[in-house]
Amino acid sequence: MAGHTDNEITIAAPMELVWDMTNDIENWPRLFSEYASVDVLERDGDRVTFRLTMHPDADGKVWSWVSERVADPVTRNVRAQRVETGPFQYMNIVWEYAETAEGTLMRWIQDFAMKPDAPVDDAWMTDNINRNSRTQMALIRDRIEQAAGERRTASVLAD
């Protein structure tokens, strides 16, 4: 068995702002509530290899792993995978962006499988990722919409 999640949210902000803020990996600790730090290990054009470190969990454990992302600014898609898989056999993520009448639709599709000796199974992780994705997406939406509002205010004041 494998896990699959598919979550999306509409952000009332222009595509360019959503794309720029969500692909500014160095800023992820300010965009996501779960990440303590990001260390970029290698950058080659639109391909970035980086280490993510989370805040300690309820048991005080700090989770960290290396991922690779390839952003395609033409199609507005990002493909990512864990390089250091930890408890996962594999973890692949696709971020899709689309302009809508309400703003920008951001969608995360995650396909993964847990290792047989992982502390949780695919079903548990699917529920966990779905719950956490909705929380993080709402937080990201709010932060980007705030930035969009600040830009509109600054633009009006400059006129």
Side-chain angles (χ1 to χ4, degrees), residues 64-120:
S64 180
W65 64 90
V66 173
S67 287
E68 180 182 80
R69 283 172 62 86
V70 179
D72 184 340
V74 174
T75 64
R76 299 295 192 187
N77 288 320
V78 178
R79 298 203 176 277
Q81 65 180 3
R82 282 193 181 202
V83 176
E84 291 179 1
T85 58
F88 294 91
Q89 286 181 6
Y90 63 89
M91 166 61 87
N92 299 315
I93 307 169
V94 175
W95 294 44
E96 296 178 346
Y97 301 79
E99 290 184 275
T100 71
E102 295 80 33
T104 303
L105 178 74
M106 181 177 69
R107 181 178 178 204
W108 297 345
I109 305 160
Q110 294 175 265
D111 289 296
F112 60 91
M114 303 307 295
K115 291 178 179 172
D117 61 347
V120 299

Side-chain angles (χ1 to χ4, degrees), residues 34-36 42 46 67 71 80 134 139:
E34 62 189 340
Y35 300 137
E42 182 180 349
D46 293 322
S67 287
R134 287 189 283 272
L139 181 63

Side-chain angles (χ1 to χ4, degrees), residues 12-30:
M15 168 73 80
E16 202 63 39
L17 180 62
V18 175
W19 177 263
D20 288 347
M21 287 184 71
T22 58
N23 285 290
D24 181 1
I25 295 169
E26 290 88 347
N27 255 334
W28 277 9
R30 288 179 285 287

